[in-house]
Amino acid sequence: MSIFEAGMLFCFGLAWPISIVRTWRSRSTKGKSPVFSVVIIVGYLCGTIHKLLYSYDIVMVLYLINMIMVTIDLGLWLRNAHLERQEHKAANI
């Protein structure tokens, strides 16, 4: 296990709960990129696959936790996009 890899994933992991809360509260898509989120998810997925195939250790759990948090954030972005479309429709009626 690499302590530096674990440290990197831990530090990145601290940012995602903050992002999730801000996305939930804002009810807005402004300042968020779904493409960026998908790229990050793919990166975490690749890290997880690498751990499963070549370097199985506990750090894999950090990849999975981070991937789940980014997926939640992306889901909230989709919710917010839906809410914005509904507001736009209501304003045009």
Side-chain angles (χ1 to χ4, degrees):
M1 177 182 82
S2 169
I3 191 72
F4 297 111
E5 180 183 25
M8 181 262 313
L9 289 166
F10 179 77
C11 289
F12 282 2
L14 291 177
W16 296 122
I18 295 165
S19 181
I20 289 168
V21 169
R22 291 177 80 180
T23 303
W24 176 264
R25 288 182 181 165
S26 74
R27 299 176 69 92
S28 171
T29 59
K30 290 180 177 57
K32 293 278 188 173
S33 168
V35 174
F36 177 76
S37 294
V38 169
V39 169
I40 297 298
I41 291 167
V42 169
Y44 285 139
L45 183 61
C46 289
T48 301
I49 292 169
H50 172 79
K51 287 294 180 185
L52 285 171
L53 297 178
Y54 302 108
S55 182
Y56 188 81
D57 59 34
I58 194 70
V59 174
M60 182 183 70
V61 172
L62 294 174
Y63 279 106
L64 291 171
I65 291 170
N66 285 350
M67 185 170 48
I68 290 167
M69 288 190 290
V70 177
T71 302
I72 290 168
D73 198 40
L74 178 59
L76 290 172
W77 185 93
L78 293 170
R79 176 202 73 149
N80 292 346
H82 176 73
L83 293 174
E84 288 176 351
R85 282 192 300 275
Q86 285 182 327
E87 289 173 7
H88 182 70
K89 283 182 185 178
N92 289 332
I93 292 178

